[in-house]
Amino acid sequence: CAAGASIVVNATGPSKHQPLSYTTGMAIFVIVVINAGIAAWTEHKAGDALEALTKMTQATIYVVRGGQEVKVDVPTVVRGDIVVLGTGDVVPADLRLSEADDVKVSEM
């Protein structure tokens, strides 16, 4: 916007035939384009880093399936799974507590 305004003012002013009168507008335009490119590149890299971090911290939980205790990713917990919780585990879904010894809950 500022670059366009500067170019328009210089194009309608008394020194419109001098190429140096347009340098301010062109400089502003170039700086804005470079800034936008850097911002887009930074945003892209941040998205990649966030995706990698999400994959790296994929939560797992132990469930009883088919009579055996198996470790599964939290998104794969389904109705009918018996979730085995240990000390410090995060409850992965809404569930019914059937058996417990010394349970303490910290709601977040």
Side-chain angles (χ1 to χ4, degrees), residues 28-52:
I28 292 171
F29 178 76
V30 168
I31 290 170
V32 168
V33 168
I34 290 171
N35 187 26
I38 291 171
W41 181 76
T42 304
E43 186 74 23
H44 174 70
K45 287 297 181 184
D48 289 348
L50 184 60
E51 186 177 319

Side-chain angles (χ1 to χ4, degrees), residues 1-84:
C1 201
S6 176
I7 290 171
V8 168
V9 167
N10 287 324
T12 57
S15 60
K16 62 184 173 184
H17 297 294
Q18 296 177 358
L20 292 178
S21 65
Y22 298 98
T23 56
T24 303
M26 296 306 266
I28 292 171
F29 178 76
V30 168
I31 290 170
V32 168
V33 168
I34 290 171
N35 187 26
I38 291 171
W41 181 76
T42 304
E43 186 74 23
H44 174 70
K45 287 297 181 184
D48 289 348
L50 184 60
E51 186 177 319
L53 185 60
T54 301
K55 286 180 182 178
M56 191 171 22
T57 60
Q58 181 74 358
T60 57
I61 194 78
Y62 285 97
V63 298
V64 176
R65 288 186 181 166
Q68 292 187 337
E69 192 172 306
V70 293
K71 189 174 187 176
V72 298
D73 291 334
V74 169
T76 64
V77 174
V78 295
R79 181 178 291 186
D81 282 343
I82 298 172
V83 179
V84 180

